[in-house]
């Protein structure tokens, strides 16, 4: 069962179990998925498309948590954290720093980048090979460390 189908199944389970917080998060995920299916008139989504959408939702929730925390609204921040936890249950784990560092080194070698001015080549190669498997910000930081100025 793919992510798209799993979200639908868990949505029904949460509705039957009257898990309001989980239900709200799953409805948000399902809405994002349905909006994407309307773009290309499909009835389902591939897992890689679902992961990309979930990463976007994850980032939005994290930004909301930060905003609510700095605004002194811990109640809203907690609600966003609960939704973030549900979103993360569908996401694959990101590679650790050591794995990402190895991938960055491989991408530098493959792209032939010789300075930090060519970090775009490295990031392009990385995203092509490992999109959704690593933290892009970490990869960019590691690439700037490994490439000479």
């Amino acid at each position: 069962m793919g992510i798209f189908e799993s979200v639908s199944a868990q949505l029904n389970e949460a509705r039957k179990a009257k898990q309001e917080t989980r239900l709200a998060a799953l409805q948000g995920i399902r809405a994002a998925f349905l909006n994407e299916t309307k773009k290309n008139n499909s009835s389902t989504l591939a897992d890689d498309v679902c992961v990309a959408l979930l990463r976007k939702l994850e980032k939005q929730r994290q930004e909301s948590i930060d905003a609510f925390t700095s605004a002194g609204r811990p109640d809203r921040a907690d609600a966003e954290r609960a939704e973030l936890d549900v979103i993360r249950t569908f996401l694959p784990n990101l590679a650790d720093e050591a794995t990402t560092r190895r991938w960055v080194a491989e991408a530098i070698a493959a792209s032939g980048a010789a300075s930090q001015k060519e970090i775009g080549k490295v990031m392009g190669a990385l995203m092509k090979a490992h999109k959704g498997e690593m933290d892009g910000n970490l990869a960019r930081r590691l690439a700037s460390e490994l490439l000479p100025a």
Side-chain angles (χ1 to χ4, degrees), residues 23-67:
L23 179 62
L26 289 166
Q27 286 172 329
I29 295 169
R30 179 86 170 138
F33 286 178
L34 291 177
N35 285 337
E36 189 66 24
T37 61
K38 290 177 185 176
K39 288 181 184 176
N40 56 10
N41 293 326
S42 65
S43 59
T44 188
L45 294 173
D47 279 354
D48 60 333
V49 174
C50 291
V51 168
L53 288 169
L54 288 167
R55 291 276 179 223
K56 185 176 176 183
L57 292 172
E58 178 186 38
K59 184 177 180 184
Q60 290 172 346
R61 293 303 170 278
Q62 192 58 55
E63 289 170 355
S64 295
I65 290 167
D66 295 342

Side-chain angles (χ1 to χ4, degrees), residues 88-106:
R88 285 183 173 157
T89 62
F90 296 102
L91 288 170
N93 291 331
L94 294 175
D96 62 0
E97 187 169 345
T99 303
T100 304
R101 184 178 296 275
R102 183 172 40 87
W103 289 343
V104 168
E106 290 169 2

